[in-house]
Amino acid sequence: MIACRICGSHIAEAAYEASAPALTTTMAFVDIPTLAFVCDECGHAQSGDLPDIATFYDTSYQISMESEDHDQIFSVDANNQPIYRTDHQAAVSLHLLDLSQGAAILDYGAAKSTTLRKMYNARPDLRPHVFDVSADYRPAWQGWVAAEDQASYTVPAEWAGRFQAIMSHFVIEHVSEPVAFLKVLHDLLAPEGRLLLSMPDVVANPGDMAVADHLNHFSIPSLRRAFSLAGFTVDMIDREIFPGAFFVVAKHADDSVPVIEDRAEIATATEKAREICAFWKQAAIRLDEAAKEFAGRRAAIYGSGFYGSWICSRIESDVDLGVFLDQNPNLQGTKHFGKPVIAPANLAEDIDVVFVGLNPLKARAAIAQQPSLHRPELNLVWIDG
Ligand SMILES: [Zn+2]
């Protein structure tokens, strides 16, 4: 039995359980089982704890450290040009925070803080501050954030109440105590200060439920509950502006904020979360069967992200895995788990089976656009049946 990370209710049993190892967002394997729990009281879903979480983020968790230009592509525009995650995040953040002239803004859990740097380029009147639980990113902050406006490991006491705005992109899903995390941000904000938070939306990307280092899988009711408990009024929760994510804007309140419970909304959220857990159970069974069916055959995996990596871990001892296929030009020419990553168009003729490792909500549309995968004798394995 465990406690909900938002409302503290007891959750009797896991809604999804898979044996070790578990896979992280950085495609590292951790020697723990994958567990997902769903809270009927507030509609939150959560994973089991990670061992030694502080050390994990200090030393082994580095996003986009390899090069200045390595950035995640999250979409393509109308002209088929890649749209980079931080460009979109910067534009959306400037729009949603509606910052006043000269505003002090903090990027909390900043990593390299590419998003805030891009915002500062567009708005040089802002006073940027950065904080992270690792010192690895400090070189990326030099030259544009004043030394006294940078902090690692602990936030300076004199920052309390300083900020007109705080943003924290894709951080809270990693935090074991999200309400306490929000309270820290609350205390850093000036009265009437605004907070912008982003996090994955597991309904839009069910893979999130099985990621070991995403401890929280928020729903709209569990987000509302968390913000109320931490002393915020929620201005908006958006799940369209950034595909696969929630963007939330909240305002610092001085008095306690009542929790509004919408039981129907909570029931819908828990039902959806349990559906996703059931999907993962089925996907694991399906892949184990496919691995046996195609044992010894020449195979490729489409997608070298989370889904593709997870598939690899389940099939590589059975099939003859040759390559990963990936549309992302930054990944083509690299290796993933020792296998070459190539463009889908370059798939060799002697491959018998392709395992599709993409978000199942988008997989069929993506594969439909790849003529090289439409050979009649080529087998395609989908994780959702
Ligand atoms: Zn709960």
Side-chain angles (χ1 to χ4, degrees):
M1 197 154 82
I2 62 144
C4 173
R5 298 187 195 279
I6 304 299
C7 72
S9 296
H10 291 296
I11 306 173
E13 56 176 11
Y16 172 64
E17 187 165 3
S19 57
L23 184 58
T24 70
T25 35
T26 54
M27 311 310 153
F29 287 98
V30 193
D31 194 24
I32 54 168
T34 305
L35 295 168
F37 302 87
V38 179
C39 176
D40 289 314
E41 185 53 35
C42 73
H44 196 57
Q46 63 189 49
S47 302
D49 285 323
L50 270 184
D52 195 7
I53 193 165
T55 308
F56 179 78
Y57 290 112
D58 184 10
T59 57
S60 63
Y61 187 84
Q62 295 189 351
I63 287 184
S64 303
M65 289 298 283
E66 305 91 83
S67 82
E68 195 63 23
D69 299 320
H70 187 105
D71 196 349
Q72 292 155 336
I73 294 172
F74 92 101
S75 185
V76 289
D77 69 13
N79 301 316
N80 224 25
Q81 293 302 303
I83 301 172
Y84 290 96
R85 186 173 67 86
T86 54
D87 282 336
H88 187 59
Q89 246 169 230
V92 166
S93 301
L94 278 173
H95 171 67
L96 293 178
L97 281 169
D98 190 21
L99 299 156
S100 58
Q101 190 71 17
I105 176 170
L106 169 63
D107 189 358
Y108 192 97
K112 287 165 67 179
S113 203
T114 310
T115 301
L116 182 54
R117 199 181 64 201
K118 287 175 176 174
M119 291 164 69
Y120 181 56
N121 285 343
R123 284 283 306 273
D125 61 292
L126 299 176
R127 183 166 172 195
H129 293 65
V130 286
F131 168 74
D132 208 296
V133 292
S134 170
D136 293 344
Y137 305 106
R138 284 188 161 267
W141 303 339
Q142 305 311 324
W144 65 280
V145 185
E148 67 271 24
D149 296 342
Q150 306 177 10
S152 307
Y153 303 113
T154 46
V155 174
E158 61 270 24
W159 284 15
R162 170 178 292 194
F163 300 101
Q164 281 77 52
I166 298 177
M167 61 179 190
S168 183
H169 290 294
F170 300 100
V171 175
I172 196 168
E173 65 270 24
H174 297 275
V175 169
S176 61
E177 295 179 40
V179 176
F181 172 86
L182 289 174
K183 283 180 177 166
V184 168
L185 302 185
H186 184 270
D187 293 345
L188 293 169
L189 276 174
E192 299 292 296
R194 299 180 97 193
L195 173 62
L196 171 64
L197 233 59
S198 58
M199 73 281 304
D201 176 1
V202 69
V203 171
N205 186 7
D208 194 69
M209 191 68 87
V211 176
D213 52 324
H214 285 186
L215 306 185
N216 299 291
H217 314 290
F218 284 95
S219 64
I220 287 176
S222 77
L223 273 171
R224 282 218 194 92
R225 170 95 63 142
F227 278 95
S228 299
L229 292 172
F232 287 96
T233 53
V234 174
D235 283 350
M236 58 133 252
I237 300 176
D238 183 288
R239 62 198 323 175
E240 307 292 332
I241 205 164
F242 192 107
F246 286 115
F247 269 63
V248 186
V249 178
K251 199 179 283 149
H252 177 284
D254 291 328
D255 302 317
S256 66
V257 179
V259 173
I260 299 158
E261 270 184 46
D262 181 337
R263 294 315 309 176
E265 189 182 49
I266 291 168
T268 306
T270 55
E271 192 182 321
K272 196 71 210 168
R274 288 209 165 81
E275 231 171 71
I276 294 166
C277 290
F279 153 75
W280 277 105
K281 269 185 216 167
Q282 278 306 313
I285 293 167
R286 190 172 164 70
L287 269 184
D288 291 350
E289 287 171 359
K292 297 288 179 276
E293 182 185 347
F294 295 102
R297 305 275 291 278
R298 295 271 299 153
I301 296 175
Y302 192 106
S304 58
F306 179 80
Y307 294 96
S309 303
W310 180 77
I311 290 172
C312 179
S313 73
R314 302 207 66 106
I315 65 165
E316 64 177 342
S317 58
D318 291 303
V319 303
D320 178 11
L321 180 62
V323 291
F324 284 90
L325 309 173
D326 206 297
Q327 276 223 80
N328 184 341
N330 290 337
L331 298 175
Q332 292 162 7
T334 65
K335 287 203 163 186
H336 193 52
F337 297 129
K339 307 292 181 189
V341 180
I342 64 168
N346 297 336
L347 180 68
E349 292 283 319
D350 64 345
I351 297 284
D352 299 318
V353 55
V354 172
F355 290 80
V356 181
L358 298 174
N359 179 346
L361 302 176
K362 298 179 172 175
R364 283 173 175 77
I367 297 301
Q369 293 177 351
Q370 297 296 339
S372 63
L373 300 184
H374 301 160
R375 279 193 277 124
E377 70 282 14
L378 182 69
N379 297 284
L380 293 177
V381 175
W382 309 88
I383 54 177
D384 59 342

